[in-house]
Amino acid sequence: MAQDSEIARGDGTARSARTFTGAGQRGTRPGRLWGWIESRTGIRALAYAVPEHANTIWYILGGITFMAILISVASGVWIAQYYNPDPAAARESVLFIQNEALLGDVMRGIHIWSAYIAVIGAVLHMVRVFITASYKAPREVNWLVGVGLLGLIMFGAFFTGTVLRWDQEAYEAMVHNMELASLLGAFGGFFSDAFTTSVSMLPRLYIAHVSIVPLLLVFLLIAHIFLIKYHGISPTPAQEEAGEAPGGKLPKERQTASYATHARKMLGYGLVVLGLAGTLAVLLPGAIGAAPDPAMEITKPSPIYYWMYTPEAWFGVNGVLYAAIVFFGLLVLVPFLDRTPLRRLRRRPLMLGLGGVLVVALTVLTIITAVTPVVSHLE
């Protein structure tokens, strides 16, 4: 039902704000419909107060990543109807999706590009959290959950999806997966070739891609969203250092915006992501390489993994493991290395230096891979 509510300001005045349920006038058909939805779902609860800066794009990057994940899942459900995880038929089924299935080429392209956008969005979101020191008390655990989400998106969802294409690059990626699993010993368990002889690796990775990884994503996303709601949107560095956010949380009188606006903007950016992924799907359709040849190693990985490919050239397959441990290990240590109350990046020289070194290292490693020819890493 449509109504106006009064939201108190810190100076004792009030402003009139349209509530989340304010669609339509009392007695009108849209108003009655909205009232029915509200009475059954309690959707008005989403109109809780948040800080004004929560509705800027920098603080919606996490929401944009979430929307990209949802788009990738939805498009994945479509193309899964045509995919056959049998190694003898997998590549042919991908060709069928790309060339013959109803909307297959568009849906496959949207699936691929929304996955790229999810990875990029997750990285940018973590960069924003790092710059604004939003990982500090009491939000250290949520930073760790975010690191887990980034790893799961990059090495769970994106990597297993690459293997499912079952061309030469996919096959080489799978062999890398098995070699790394052997290095991890018992911890490599499920992803090792010796785990079972009754089912080959490709269908096992398919199961991981469509069930295990999504379930883990749901679990971590629920934890991430719960902790955001519990601790509230983090204050800006200026607010924190000015003493406006005791305990790391802005008081209610300083939270003058609505999460309903945040949700609407997130949905709007989700439509932008869908449009961008659809456009890229048409202009830059996902390539399908030659059928896999176990005797050859001729491809580079996706550009997302270029920073790991160079250490592999230096140290062998172990280099992939070393690079991942260093990168994610440093991310895990961030909230424990930076325990000062300072929030502005320029006043945190240790974090400024660590972040700068990490960015330079990733950039240099990526460029080296981009300009060097393919080398053989597998025996």
Side-chain angles (χ1 to χ4, degrees):
M1 185 180 300
Q3 63 180 18
D4 289 331
S5 62
E6 299 295 319
I7 298 179
R9 292 185 181 276
D11 57 6
T13 63
R15 64 180 177 88
S16 176
R18 200 68 161 172
T19 68
F20 192 80
T21 59
Q25 298 297 319
R26 184 189 300 272
T28 65
R29 183 172 297 176
R32 290 196 299 271
L33 175 61
W34 194 255
W36 186 91
I37 294 173
E38 154 58 23
S39 67
R40 270 67 176 180
T41 65
I43 197 171
R44 185 170 58 180
L46 292 178
Y48 62 85
V50 296
E52 291 286 348
H53 63 267
N55 290 334
T56 62
I57 189 171
W58 307 114
Y59 283 78
I60 304 180
L61 284 169
I64 294 172
T65 303
F66 177 66
M67 296 305 298
I69 291 172
L70 291 183
I71 292 168
S72 185
V73 169
S75 56
V77 170
W78 181 280
I79 62 178
Q81 309 310 308
Y82 303 99
Y83 182 73
N84 186 344
D86 183 348
R91 183 172 175 275
E92 291 302 317
S93 70
V94 175
L95 290 171
F96 179 83
I97 292 168
Q98 186 68 31
N99 301 321
E100 299 182 49
L102 177 63
L103 298 177
D105 55 343
V106 175
M107 286 297 185
R108 179 171 176 266
I110 289 175
H111 188 68
I112 293 169
W113 286 109
S114 59
Y116 271 104
I117 293 171
V119 174
I120 295 170
V123 171
L124 292 177
H125 175 58
M126 292 202 76
V127 169
R128 195 280 300 165
V129 172
F130 180 85
I131 290 174
T132 59
S134 297
Y135 54 78
K136 293 196 174 188
R139 298 178 176 85
E140 302 97 328
V141 172
N142 213 13
W143 169 266
L144 298 180
V145 173
V147 173
L149 278 167
L150 177 62
L152 191 58
I153 293 171
M154 287 184 65
F155 299 110
F158 199 97
F159 172 78
T160 56
T162 298
V163 175
L164 299 185
R165 192 169 64 242
W166 206 236
D167 56 8
Q168 183 64 31
E169 180 189 344
Y171 177 81
E172 292 176 16
M174 186 196 69
V175 176
H176 277 79
N177 166 85
M178 292 189 293
E179 290 212 10
L180 286 169
S182 67
L183 291 174
L184 293 172
F187 293 102
F190 178 83
F191 295 102
S192 69
D193 193 32
F195 183 80
T196 178
T197 57
S198 61
V199 181
S200 63
M201 183 60 69
L202 179 61
R204 286 163 54 196
L205 290 177
Y206 174 71
I207 291 170
H209 186 73
V210 301
S211 61
I212 299 173
V213 170
L215 283 173
L216 291 174
L217 275 174
V218 168
F219 173 76
L220 289 180
L221 284 169
I222 290 173
H224 200 54
I225 294 169
F226 169 78
L227 289 171
I228 292 172
K229 183 66 173 67
Y230 179 72
H231 293 299
I233 302 295
S234 60
T236 65
Q239 290 171 330
E240 182 76 21
E241 293 192 2
E244 299 174 7
K249 186 173 182 179
L250 287 169
K252 290 184 177 180
E253 61 269 17
R254 297 302 306 274
Q255 300 185 42
T256 56
S258 170
Y259 182 78
T261 301
H262 186 92
R264 285 195 295 268
K265 287 190 174 185
M266 189 171 71
L267 290 172
Y269 284 121
L271 292 175
V272 172
V273 170
L274 178 59
L276 177 60
T279 301
L280 291 171
V282 174
L283 298 178
L284 299 170
I288 304 171
D293 182 349
M296 301 176 65
E297 185 179 355
I298 59 174
T299 62
K300 292 181 182 180
S302 165
I304 286 176
Y305 304 116
Y306 274 11
W307 59 278
M308 305 177 75
Y309 189 84
T310 300
E312 185 181 8
W314 295 340
F315 306 108
V317 177
N318 288 5
V320 175
L321 188 60
Y322 299 154
I325 290 174
V326 170
F327 177 68
F328 284 96
L330 288 174
L331 291 182
V332 166
L333 289 175
V334 162
F336 307 104
L337 292 175
D338 184 15
R339 304 188 62 82
T340 71
L342 302 175
R343 301 280 171 157
R344 296 180 190 272
L345 185 59
R346 65 175 180 271
R347 300 183 66 185
R348 294 182 283 139
L350 175 62
M351 291 298 104
L352 180 60
L354 177 62
V357 168
L358 195 58
V359 169
V360 170
L362 293 175
T363 302
V364 171
L365 292 174
T366 298
I367 292 174
I368 291 174
T369 296
V371 300
T372 55
V374 176
V375 295
S376 178
H377 299 137
L378 302 172
E379 297 180 0

